[in-house]
Amino acid sequence: MRKAKRAGADFIKVYSRLDRESFLAIADEARRLRLPVCGHAADAVPIVEAARAGQRSFEHFFPALFGVSGKESEVRRLIDAIKIQGKGTGVHDWFAAIHPADWLACTTYDPHRAADVYAQLKESGAAMTPTLVMHRVTDLPDDVVADKERLRYLPPGTEESWKADLAEIFTKGRTPAQAAQHREIYRHRLRILNDMHRAGVPILAGTDAPVMYLNPGFALHDELAQLVAAGFTPMAALQAATRDPARHLGLQDSLGTIRKGHLADLVVLNANPLDDIRNTLRIHSVMTRGRYLSAADRDRLLASIEAAAKT
């Protein structure tokens, strides 16, 4: 932790398989060093406890399912029993092992318990970055199709690599019954996220790009559409990608809203996203750090990225 601080780290990122003792030690030292903690929720630590210990944001939507289950103690026993034996990171093993806990939590949702969890998260100020587009790939791999137009901006072989990773990590060994359960789990994620949002928990738009089938930049537009599918208004979805992240990062005096004195970071659209969130893709021009990029400028930039990707 101190080495990271000396190296100039802005925050400490934690991961799913941290044990409880390690997580609490990290959170304690982070307070002393005045470094924010964010990242994955540690499997061994309930989300409310992690927020109270100082975790500022939770990336991905795994932990929220567990804390709002009416049988959390049973869910916790399943999680505690997970032993990762795979080579490397054991990602496939973890996803396979966590599924029974996800499914039990999904089928034992307790709205009263959930309301209490959301209230405590709101009080702590912790934010949720659900990365729905990532979960859509992991939960619904049969629905995933690569966008050929977007692939132009990524290196050759990317699609083949994605297909191989998807098969190895997520679909290998998944039965039809489990696939149906994953589909219901994804719908449950959307319901929970909308409940969290209505309860006042800060929601931040993120994607996990460039992991499988998530193209950097483009994927954020897809995330906005998924937030609306979860029940957000188009305005709330836009705020989750602009105003609310700026507030969370303490940059609200210069970013996130259109005001005099703020940095001119703007996307100018040809159609109103409040009518249809997909209109965020109908881009006319861009202002970045006060520099105007016309449609022709954007075309040239994209062409240069496409050319670089081919090399």
Side-chain angles (χ1 to χ4, degrees), residues 1 11-18 22-24 26-27 30 36-42 50 55-60:
M1 295 283 289
F11 61 90
I12 298 297
K13 181 178 181 181
V14 292
Y15 283 91
S16 303
R17 294 304 294 165
L18 271 178
S22 297
F23 172 82
L24 293 176
I26 288 170
V37 173
C38 61
H40 300 198
Q55 186 161 344
R56 293 273 292 121
S57 66
F58 297 90
E59 278 56 69
H60 313 311

Side-chain angles (χ1 to χ4, degrees), residues 100-261:
D102 274 343
W103 180 239
L104 178 58
C106 174
T107 55
T108 58
Y109 177 66
D110 183 336
H112 299 292
R113 185 182 182 88
D116 181 59
V117 167
Y118 304 152
Q120 292 186 67
L121 288 175
K122 179 184 177 182
E123 183 180 358
S124 75
M128 173 64 69
T129 310
T131 64
L132 292 174
V133 286
M134 183 277 290
H135 286 292
R136 192 168 184 273
V137 172
T138 62
D139 288 334
L140 312 175
D142 293 338
D143 295 357
V144 172
V145 178
D147 187 308
K148 300 298 183 182
E149 285 297 305
R150 298 178 182 184
L151 282 172
R152 293 186 298 159
Y153 307 112
L154 296 173
T158 294
E159 184 177 9
E160 290 72 20
S161 176
W162 282 347
K163 287 179 179 177
D165 287 344
L166 193 67
E168 175 63 28
I169 298 173
F170 301 112
T171 61
K172 184 175 72 174
R174 186 177 289 187
T175 67
Q178 289 171 336
Q181 290 173 356
H182 276 282
R183 190 168 292 276
E184 180 55 37
I185 286 171
Y186 186 73
R187 287 193 287 263
H188 189 52
R189 296 191 204 281
L190 298 184
R191 289 192 293 266
I192 286 180
L193 180 63
N194 192 39
D195 289 345
M196 294 178 77
H197 168 58
R198 289 190 289 107
V201 178
I203 307 298
L204 312 180
T207 67
D208 213 29
V211 300
M212 291 167 291
Y213 295 90
L214 302 181
N215 300 68
F218 294 99
L220 181 59
H221 296 274
D222 300 335
E223 182 72 4
L224 297 181
Q226 288 302 300
L227 290 176
V228 171
F232 286 47
T233 65
M235 176 60 84
L238 292 170
Q239 289 169 336
T242 54
R243 182 198 66 182
D244 298 341
R247 287 179 176 176
H248 183 72
L249 296 170
L251 300 173
Q252 65 273 16
D253 292 335
S254 60
L255 290 173
T257 53
I258 303 172
R259 295 184 180 181
K260 182 178 179 179

Side-chain angles (χ1 to χ4, degrees), residues 24-82:
L24 293 176
I26 288 170
D28 185 57
E29 186 66 15
R31 279 194 298 272
R32 279 194 278 269
L33 297 175
R34 297 185 179 180
L35 277 177
V37 173
C38 61
H40 300 198
D43 292 347
V45 185
I47 188 171
V48 168
E49 184 179 358
R52 286 177 177 166
Q55 186 161 344
R56 293 273 292 121
S57 66
F58 297 90
E59 278 56 69
H60 313 311
F61 210 45
F62 299 111
L65 293 180
F66 307 143
V68 296
S69 166
K71 294 186 176 180
E72 187 181 7
S73 59
E74 293 182 33
V75 172
R76 288 278 153 208
R77 281 197 290 272
L78 290 173
I79 294 170
D80 292 343
I82 294 174

